Amino acid sequence: MKKFFNSIILYAGLFIAFILVLSCLQLYENANKLFGSKSSEGNYWLTFSKKMTPDNIGRKELLGFNENDVAQLKKWTEIKNVYPFSANEFKASANGGDFIPFYTDLYFESVDLKAIDVPVTEEEFKVKGNEIPIIISREYLNLYNYGFALNQGLPQISEDFAKKIEINLNITVNKENKTYKGKLIGLSDRIHSVLIPKKFLDSLNLATKPELAAQPKIFNRVLVQVADSGDEKLISKMKENGYESNQESLRSAKIKSKLFLVLKAIAVLGIFIFALCLYIIVSFIKIQFLEKQEEVSIKNSLGYSPRKMVNDISRRFSIHLVIVLILSLILIAAGQYFASTSAVSNGLLSPYINPFLWSVIIIIPVLVYFFVKELIYRWLIKSWKI
Protein backbone atom coordinates (compact mmCIF):
# COMPACT_ATOMS: atom_id res chain seq x y z
CA MET A 1 0.00 0.00 0.00
CA LYS A 2 2.83 2.37 0.90
CA LYS A 3 4.56 1.57 -2.37
CA PHE A 4 1.37 2.30 -4.32
CA PHE A 5 0.90 5.58 -2.45
CA ASN A 6 4.50 6.60 -3.16
CA SER A 7 4.02 5.81 -6.84
CA ILE A 8 0.87 7.95 -6.98
CA ILE A 9 2.71 10.89 -5.38
CA LEU A 10 5.65 10.41 -7.76
CA TYR A 11 3.58 10.38 -10.94
CA ALA A 12 1.40 13.22 -9.69
CA GLY A 13 4.61 15.26 -9.37
CA LEU A 14 5.58 14.35 -12.92
CA PHE A 15 2.10 15.27 -14.14
CA ILE A 16 2.42 18.72 -12.52
CA ALA A 17 5.92 19.17 -13.98
CA PHE A 18 4.76 18.32 -17.49
CA ILE A 19 1.73 20.58 -17.19
CA LEU A 20 3.94 23.50 -16.12
CA VAL A 21 6.60 23.07 -18.80
CA LEU A 22 4.35 22.14 -21.75
CA SER A 23 1.71 24.75 -20.97
CA CYS A 24 4.47 27.39 -20.84
CA LEU A 25 5.53 26.41 -24.37
CA GLN A 26 1.95 26.68 -25.58
CA LEU A 27 1.40 29.98 -23.77
CA TYR A 28 4.61 31.32 -25.35
CA GLU A 29 3.16 30.62 -28.78
CA ASN A 30 -0.20 32.10 -27.81
CA ALA A 31 1.48 35.27 -26.52
CA ASN A 32 3.38 35.63 -29.79
CA LYS A 33 0.14 35.41 -31.74
CA LEU A 34 -1.62 37.92 -29.49
CA PHE A 35 1.20 40.45 -29.18
CA GLY A 36 3.19 39.76 -32.35
CA SER A 37 6.07 37.37 -32.78
CA LYS A 38 9.75 38.05 -33.02
CA SER A 39 10.92 36.87 -36.40
CA SER A 40 12.92 38.16 -39.29
CA GLU A 41 9.67 38.34 -41.28
CA GLY A 42 7.99 40.52 -38.67
CA ASN A 43 7.34 44.13 -39.65
CA TYR A 44 6.47 46.69 -37.03
CA TRP A 45 6.73 50.42 -37.38
CA LEU A 46 7.74 52.86 -34.69
CA THR A 47 8.18 56.60 -34.90
CA PHE A 48 11.21 57.75 -32.92
CA SER A 49 11.48 61.23 -31.50
CA LYS A 50 13.89 62.60 -28.95
CA LYS A 51 12.70 63.19 -25.42
CA MET A 52 12.30 66.88 -24.65
CA THR A 53 14.44 68.22 -21.83
CA PRO A 54 15.12 71.74 -20.53
CA ASP A 55 18.37 71.66 -22.53
CA ASN A 56 16.96 70.84 -25.96
CA ILE A 57 13.56 72.57 -25.99
CA GLY A 58 13.42 74.89 -28.97
CA ARG A 59 16.82 73.75 -30.25
CA LYS A 60 16.20 71.82 -33.44
CA GLU A 61 19.83 70.78 -33.75
CA LEU A 62 19.54 68.94 -30.42
CA LEU A 63 15.92 67.82 -30.53
CA GLY A 64 16.13 66.50 -34.08
CA PHE A 65 18.05 63.61 -35.63
CA ASN A 66 21.18 64.46 -37.56
CA GLU A 67 22.74 62.21 -40.19
CA ASN A 68 25.05 60.66 -37.61
CA ASP A 69 22.03 59.68 -35.47
CA VAL A 70 20.39 58.08 -38.50
CA ALA A 71 23.61 56.23 -39.37
CA GLN A 72 23.85 54.91 -35.81
CA LEU A 73 20.20 53.76 -35.90
CA LYS A 74 20.90 51.81 -39.08
CA LYS A 75 23.57 49.86 -37.18
CA TRP A 76 21.12 48.64 -34.55
CA THR A 77 20.54 44.96 -35.18
CA GLU A 78 16.94 45.31 -33.98
CA ILE A 79 16.13 47.79 -36.75
CA LYS A 80 15.56 46.73 -40.34
CA ASN A 81 15.12 50.14 -42.00
CA VAL A 82 15.22 53.81 -41.05
CA TYR A 83 13.18 56.49 -42.81
CA PRO A 84 13.76 60.11 -41.68
CA PHE A 85 10.99 62.67 -41.89
CA SER A 86 11.56 65.99 -43.59
CA ALA A 87 9.43 68.87 -42.31
CA ASN A 88 8.41 72.14 -43.93
CA GLU A 89 10.50 75.26 -43.32
CA PHE A 90 7.87 77.56 -44.81
CA LYS A 91 4.49 78.78 -43.63
CA ALA A 92 1.43 76.90 -44.78
CA SER A 93 -2.29 76.96 -44.15
CA ALA A 94 -5.41 75.35 -45.55
CA ASN A 95 -9.06 76.27 -46.03
CA GLY A 96 -12.02 74.35 -47.34
CA GLY A 97 -13.60 77.08 -49.41
CA ASP A 98 -17.37 77.45 -49.42
CA PHE A 99 -18.17 73.75 -49.01
CA ILE A 100 -16.33 73.26 -45.72
CA PRO A 101 -15.73 76.68 -44.21
CA PHE A 102 -12.65 76.03 -42.15
CA TYR A 103 -9.21 77.54 -41.89
CA THR A 104 -6.17 76.14 -40.19
CA ASP A 105 -2.46 76.61 -40.11
CA LEU A 106 -0.81 73.53 -41.46
CA TYR A 107 2.41 71.61 -41.35
CA PHE A 108 3.80 69.19 -43.90
CA GLU A 109 6.16 66.28 -43.68
CA SER A 110 7.60 63.93 -46.24
CA VAL A 111 9.15 60.50 -46.02
CA ASP A 112 10.36 57.85 -48.42
CA LEU A 113 7.43 56.41 -50.38
CA LYS A 114 8.53 52.88 -49.34
CA ALA A 115 7.65 53.70 -45.74
CA ILE A 116 4.11 54.85 -46.50
CA ASP A 117 1.34 52.30 -46.01
CA VAL A 118 -0.81 53.69 -48.83
CA PRO A 119 -0.57 51.83 -52.16
CA VAL A 120 0.38 54.72 -54.43
CA THR A 121 3.03 54.92 -57.12
CA GLU A 122 5.62 57.67 -57.51
CA GLU A 123 3.67 58.94 -60.49
CA GLU A 124 0.49 59.21 -58.42
CA PHE A 125 2.33 60.84 -55.50
CA LYS A 126 3.72 63.66 -57.53
CA VAL A 127 2.87 67.36 -57.84
CA LYS A 128 1.18 68.01 -61.15
CA GLY A 129 0.65 71.64 -62.11
CA ASN A 130 -1.21 73.34 -59.31
CA GLU A 131 -2.31 70.15 -57.59
CA ILE A 132 -0.52 68.70 -54.57
CA PRO A 133 -1.34 65.10 -53.61
CA ILE A 134 -1.55 64.67 -49.85
CA ILE A 135 -1.75 61.69 -47.53
CA ILE A 136 -3.09 62.25 -44.03
CA SER A 137 -3.51 60.05 -40.99
CA ARG A 138 -6.83 58.24 -40.83
CA GLU A 139 -7.06 59.53 -37.27
CA TYR A 140 -7.27 63.08 -38.57
CA LEU A 141 -10.37 62.27 -40.63
CA ASN A 142 -11.92 60.50 -37.63
CA LEU A 143 -11.12 63.52 -35.48
CA TYR A 144 -12.92 65.76 -37.93
CA ASN A 145 -15.96 63.48 -38.35
CA TYR A 146 -16.51 62.53 -34.72
CA GLY A 147 -15.15 65.61 -32.99
CA PHE A 148 -15.11 68.77 -35.03
CA ALA A 149 -17.96 68.22 -37.55
CA LEU A 150 -20.52 67.01 -35.01
CA ASN A 151 -19.89 69.90 -32.64
CA GLN A 152 -19.77 72.60 -35.32
CA GLY A 153 -22.72 71.38 -37.37
CA LEU A 154 -20.56 70.65 -40.40
CA PRO A 155 -21.13 67.74 -42.80
CA GLN A 156 -19.33 64.50 -42.00
CA ILE A 157 -17.14 63.10 -44.75
CA SER A 158 -16.61 59.50 -45.80
CA GLU A 159 -13.17 58.33 -46.96
CA ASP A 160 -14.27 58.00 -50.58
CA PHE A 161 -15.88 61.42 -50.59
CA ALA A 162 -12.83 62.98 -48.92
CA LYS A 163 -10.72 61.90 -51.90
CA LYS A 164 -13.00 63.86 -54.20
CA ILE A 165 -12.73 67.12 -52.27
CA GLU A 166 -10.11 69.70 -53.14
CA ILE A 167 -8.96 72.11 -50.46
CA ASN A 168 -6.89 75.24 -50.80
CA LEU A 169 -3.30 74.98 -49.62
CA ASN A 170 -1.75 78.39 -48.99
CA ILE A 171 2.05 78.39 -49.01
CA THR A 172 4.33 81.34 -48.34
CA VAL A 173 7.85 81.18 -49.74
CA ASN A 174 10.08 84.25 -49.55
CA LYS A 175 7.08 86.43 -48.68
CA GLU A 176 5.35 85.26 -51.83
CA ASN A 177 1.96 83.67 -51.28
CA LYS A 178 0.84 80.93 -53.56
CA THR A 179 -2.30 78.81 -53.46
CA TYR A 180 -2.36 75.18 -54.54
CA LYS A 181 -5.13 72.65 -54.73
CA GLY A 182 -4.65 69.86 -52.23
CA LYS A 183 -6.08 66.50 -53.17
CA LEU A 184 -6.28 63.62 -50.74
CA ILE A 185 -5.04 60.39 -52.33
CA GLY A 186 -4.90 58.13 -49.28
CA LEU A 187 -5.23 57.69 -45.55
CA SER A 188 -2.40 56.26 -43.48
CA ASP A 189 -2.81 54.07 -40.42
CA ARG A 190 0.96 54.11 -39.80
CA ILE A 191 1.97 57.75 -40.00
CA HIS A 192 0.24 60.51 -38.08
CA SER A 193 1.08 63.46 -40.26
CA VAL A 194 0.24 65.39 -43.42
CA LEU A 195 2.49 63.97 -46.11
CA ILE A 196 3.33 65.59 -49.43
CA PRO A 197 5.89 64.54 -52.09
CA LYS A 198 9.46 64.70 -50.78
CA LYS A 199 11.03 66.41 -53.79
CA PHE A 200 8.41 69.14 -53.73
CA LEU A 201 8.86 69.71 -49.99
CA ASP A 202 12.66 69.82 -50.26
CA SER A 203 12.52 72.28 -53.16
CA LEU A 204 10.27 74.66 -51.21
CA ASN A 205 12.50 74.36 -48.14
CA LEU A 206 15.57 75.28 -50.17
CA ALA A 207 13.70 78.13 -51.81
CA THR A 208 12.76 79.43 -48.36
CA LYS A 209 16.16 78.87 -46.74
CA PRO A 210 18.91 78.45 -49.38
CA GLU A 211 21.47 78.13 -46.58
CA LEU A 212 20.07 74.66 -45.78
CA ALA A 213 21.92 73.26 -48.80
CA ALA A 214 25.25 73.85 -47.05
CA GLN A 215 24.13 72.79 -43.57
CA PRO A 216 23.90 69.27 -42.09
CA LYS A 217 20.40 67.87 -42.42
CA ILE A 218 18.25 67.77 -39.31
CA PHE A 219 15.20 65.50 -39.23
CA ASN A 220 12.46 66.15 -36.67
CA ARG A 221 11.79 62.44 -36.21
CA VAL A 222 12.39 59.10 -37.91
CA LEU A 223 10.22 56.15 -38.83
CA VAL A 224 11.86 52.78 -38.16
CA GLN A 225 10.91 49.31 -39.29
CA VAL A 226 11.65 46.59 -36.73
CA ALA A 227 11.12 42.85 -36.54
CA ASP A 228 9.75 42.98 -33.00
CA SER A 229 8.44 46.12 -31.33
CA GLY A 230 8.62 44.29 -27.99
CA ASP A 231 12.34 43.53 -28.21
CA GLU A 232 13.79 44.32 -24.78
CA LYS A 233 17.16 45.27 -26.30
CA LEU A 234 15.46 47.75 -28.61
CA ILE A 235 13.55 49.37 -25.73
CA SER A 236 16.72 49.46 -23.65
CA LYS A 237 18.67 51.20 -26.45
CA MET A 238 15.86 53.70 -26.90
CA LYS A 239 16.05 54.60 -23.22
CA GLU A 240 19.84 54.91 -23.34
CA ASN A 241 19.63 57.34 -26.26
CA GLY A 242 16.63 59.30 -24.96
CA TYR A 243 14.33 58.21 -27.79
CA GLU A 244 10.57 57.96 -27.43
CA SER A 245 7.92 56.26 -29.52
CA ASN A 246 4.25 55.39 -29.63
CA GLN A 247 3.40 54.52 -26.04
CA GLU A 248 0.62 52.13 -27.07
CA SER A 249 3.07 49.98 -29.05
CA LEU A 250 5.60 50.04 -26.25
CA ARG A 251 2.94 49.28 -23.65
CA SER A 252 1.98 46.03 -25.38
CA ALA A 253 5.68 45.27 -25.76
CA LYS A 254 6.24 45.70 -22.03
CA ILE A 255 3.25 43.46 -21.24
CA LYS A 256 4.64 40.86 -23.61
CA SER A 257 8.14 40.95 -22.10
CA LYS A 258 6.77 40.64 -18.55
CA LEU A 259 4.50 37.78 -19.58
CA PHE A 260 7.46 35.95 -21.10
CA LEU A 261 9.44 36.52 -17.91
CA VAL A 262 6.66 34.91 -15.85
CA LEU A 263 6.45 32.01 -18.32
CA LYS A 264 10.20 31.45 -18.07
CA ALA A 265 9.97 31.38 -14.27
CA ILE A 266 7.13 28.84 -14.39
CA ALA A 267 9.02 26.73 -16.94
CA VAL A 268 12.12 26.71 -14.72
CA LEU A 269 9.96 25.60 -11.80
CA GLY A 270 8.49 22.81 -13.94
CA ILE A 271 11.95 21.65 -15.03
CA PHE A 272 13.08 21.67 -11.40
CA ILE A 273 10.10 19.51 -10.38
CA PHE A 274 10.80 17.16 -13.31
CA ALA A 275 14.48 16.82 -12.29
CA LEU A 276 13.43 16.22 -8.69
CA CYS A 277 11.01 13.50 -9.81
CA LEU A 278 13.73 11.85 -11.89
CA TYR A 279 16.03 11.85 -8.86
CA ILE A 280 13.27 10.27 -6.76
CA ILE A 281 12.60 7.69 -9.47
CA VAL A 282 16.26 6.69 -9.67
CA SER A 283 16.38 6.43 -5.89
CA PHE A 284 13.12 4.49 -5.92
CA ILE A 285 14.53 1.96 -8.39
CA LYS A 286 17.74 1.66 -6.39
CA ILE A 287 15.71 0.88 -3.26
CA GLN A 288 13.84 -1.79 -5.21
CA PHE A 289 17.14 -3.40 -6.20
CA LEU A 290 18.39 -3.21 -2.62
CA GLU A 291 15.21 -4.81 -1.31
CA LYS A 292 15.54 -7.58 -3.90
CA GLN A 293 19.30 -7.92 -3.72
CA GLU A 294 19.13 -11.61 -2.95
CA GLU A 295 16.64 -12.26 -5.76
CA VAL A 296 18.74 -10.28 -8.21
CA SER A 297 21.90 -12.13 -7.16
CA ILE A 298 20.18 -15.48 -7.71
CA LYS A 299 18.93 -14.40 -11.12
CA ASN A 300 22.41 -13.20 -11.96
CA SER A 301 23.82 -16.59 -10.92
CA LEU A 302 21.24 -18.29 -13.14
CA GLY A 303 22.41 -16.29 -16.13
CA TYR A 304 20.03 -13.32 -16.15
CA SER A 305 21.84 -10.32 -17.54
CA PRO A 306 21.94 -7.33 -15.12
CA ARG A 307 21.52 -5.04 -18.11
CA LYS A 308 18.35 -6.86 -19.14
CA MET A 309 16.93 -6.50 -15.62
CA VAL A 310 17.66 -2.76 -15.67
CA ASN A 311 16.23 -2.46 -19.19
CA ASP A 312 12.96 -4.04 -18.08
CA ILE A 313 12.60 -1.58 -15.21
CA SER A 314 13.52 1.44 -17.36
CA ARG A 315 11.12 0.37 -20.11
CA ARG A 316 8.26 0.00 -17.62
CA PHE A 317 8.96 3.42 -16.21
CA SER A 318 9.08 4.98 -19.70
CA ILE A 319 5.68 3.49 -20.53
CA HIS A 320 4.28 5.12 -17.39
CA LEU A 321 5.81 8.40 -18.56
CA VAL A 322 4.00 8.10 -21.90
CA ILE A 323 0.68 7.71 -20.07
CA VAL A 324 1.38 10.75 -17.87
CA LEU A 325 2.40 12.82 -20.93
CA ILE A 326 -0.76 11.89 -22.84
CA LEU A 327 -2.93 12.91 -19.88
CA SER A 328 -0.99 16.19 -19.57
CA LEU A 329 -1.38 17.02 -23.27
CA ILE A 330 -5.09 16.19 -23.25
CA LEU A 331 -5.58 18.64 -20.39
CA ILE A 332 -3.49 21.35 -22.15
CA ALA A 333 -5.36 20.74 -25.44
CA ALA A 334 -8.69 21.21 -23.62
CA GLY A 335 -7.40 24.45 -22.10
CA GLN A 336 -6.21 25.67 -25.51
CA TYR A 337 -9.59 24.99 -27.09
CA PHE A 338 -11.32 26.85 -24.26
CA ALA A 339 -8.89 29.80 -24.62
CA SER A 340 -9.34 29.95 -28.42
CA THR A 341 -13.12 30.20 -28.10
CA SER A 342 -13.02 32.83 -25.37
CA ALA A 343 -13.45 36.54 -26.04
CA VAL A 344 -9.87 37.22 -24.90
CA SER A 345 -8.38 35.42 -27.91
CA ASN A 346 -10.31 37.67 -30.33
CA GLY A 347 -10.10 34.90 -32.92
CA LEU A 348 -6.29 35.01 -33.02
CA LEU A 349 -5.59 31.70 -31.27
CA SER A 350 -5.70 28.26 -32.83
CA PRO A 351 -8.09 25.79 -31.18
CA TYR A 352 -5.30 23.20 -31.34
CA ILE A 353 -2.04 23.03 -29.45
CA ASN A 354 1.27 23.20 -31.31
CA PRO A 355 1.79 19.84 -33.07
CA PHE A 356 5.37 19.83 -31.79
CA LEU A 357 4.07 19.26 -28.27
CA TRP A 358 2.70 15.84 -29.23
CA SER A 359 6.22 14.74 -30.21
CA VAL A 360 7.31 14.92 -26.56
CA ILE A 361 5.29 11.72 -26.01
CA ILE A 362 8.13 9.95 -27.80
CA ILE A 363 11.12 12.20 -27.17
CA ILE A 364 10.94 12.48 -23.36
CA PRO A 365 10.28 8.77 -22.57
CA VAL A 366 13.07 7.67 -24.95
CA LEU A 367 15.57 10.10 -23.42
CA VAL A 368 14.55 9.19 -19.89
CA TYR A 369 14.72 5.47 -20.76
CA PHE A 370 18.37 5.68 -21.81
CA PHE A 371 19.25 8.06 -18.97
CA VAL A 372 17.74 5.92 -16.21
CA LYS A 373 18.97 2.68 -17.75
CA GLU A 374 22.58 3.80 -17.95
CA LEU A 375 22.52 5.46 -14.54
CA ILE A 376 21.04 2.43 -12.75
CA TYR A 377 23.21 -0.05 -14.63
CA ARG A 378 26.42 1.81 -13.75
CA TRP A 379 25.31 2.02 -10.14
CA LEU A 380 24.47 -1.68 -10.10
CA ILE A 381 27.79 -2.75 -11.58
CA LYS A 382 29.76 -0.45 -9.31
CA SER A 383 27.90 -1.19 -6.06
CA TRP A 384 27.48 -4.92 -6.39
CA LYS A 385 30.65 -5.61 -8.31
CA ILE A 386 28.90 -8.02 -10.67
Side-chain angles (χ1 to χ4, degrees), residues 12 39 64 66 87-88 108 153 166 223 253 270 279 282 326 330 332 363-364 381:
S39 69
N66 56 38
N88 62 302
F108 293 120
E166 288 187 347
L223 183 68
Y279 174 76
V282 171
I326 290 175
I330 289 175
I332 294 172
I363 295 173
I364 293 181
I381 297 297

Side-chain angles (χ1 to χ4, degrees), residues 94-103 165-170 181:
N95 65 74
D98 296 333
F99 181 72
I100 306 177
F102 78 93
Y103 172 88
I165 299 174
E166 288 187 347
I167 61 173
N168 298 318
L169 298 179
N170 310 302
K181 293 294 181 184

Side-chain angles (χ1 to χ4, degrees), residues 82-226:
V82 181
Y83 299 98
F85 284 96
S86 297
N88 62 302
E89 299 283 350
F90 48 87
K91 289 186 177 181
S93 63
N95 65 74
D98 296 333
F99 181 72
I100 306 177
F102 78 93
Y103 172 88
T104 180
D105 287 330
L106 201 61
Y107 74 98
F108 293 120
E109 282 186 313
S110 66
V111 69
D112 195 310
L113 191 59
K114 289 184 288 187
I116 302 174
D117 57 333
V118 177
V120 293
T121 63
E122 287 191 13
E123 184 61 27
E124 292 170 328
F125 197 46
K126 185 177 181 181
V127 176
K128 296 174 182 175
N130 198 40
E131 184 179 280
I132 302 176
I134 58 175
I135 296 173
I136 66 170
S137 167
R138 191 182 305 278
E139 288 299 316
Y140 292 175
L141 184 61
N142 291 335
L143 188 65
Y144 169 79
N145 281 331
Y146 300 107
F148 189 72
L150 284 177
N151 293 336
Q152 301 296 322
L154 296 172
Q156 291 183 293
I157 302 173
S158 67
E159 292 185 14
D160 289 336
F161 187 64
K163 293 178 183 177
K164 298 176 181 176
I165 299 174
E166 288 187 347
I167 61 173
N168 298 318
L169 298 179
N170 310 302
I171 293 174
T172 302
V173 177
N174 295 331
K175 298 181 181 179
E176 180 182 350
N177 298 325
K178 192 169 183 180
T179 300
Y180 292 86
K181 293 294 181 184
K183 185 175 182 181
L184 180 68
I185 63 169
L187 298 168
S188 173
D189 292 308
R190 180 182 302 160
I191 302 171
H192 299 292
S193 184
V194 180
L195 301 174
I196 63 174
K198 191 172 186 305
K199 288 183 179 178
F200 180 70
L201 179 70
D202 290 342
S203 65
L204 291 182
N205 280 342
L206 286 176
T208 306
K209 296 182 178 179
E211 66 273 18
L212 291 176
Q215 295 177 356
K217 291 184 178 179
I218 301 293
F219 308 102
N220 289 356
R221 50 186 189 155
V222 294
L223 183 68
V224 298
Q225 183 184 22
V226 299

Side-chain angles (χ1 to χ4, degrees), residues 3-22:
K3 182 179 175 183
F4 175 76
F5 180 75
N6 289 338
S7 297
I8 291 295
I9 296 295
L10 184 64
Y11 287 110
L14 282 172
F15 179 73
I16 294 172
F18 289 142
I19 287 289
L20 289 175
V21 176
L22 298 179

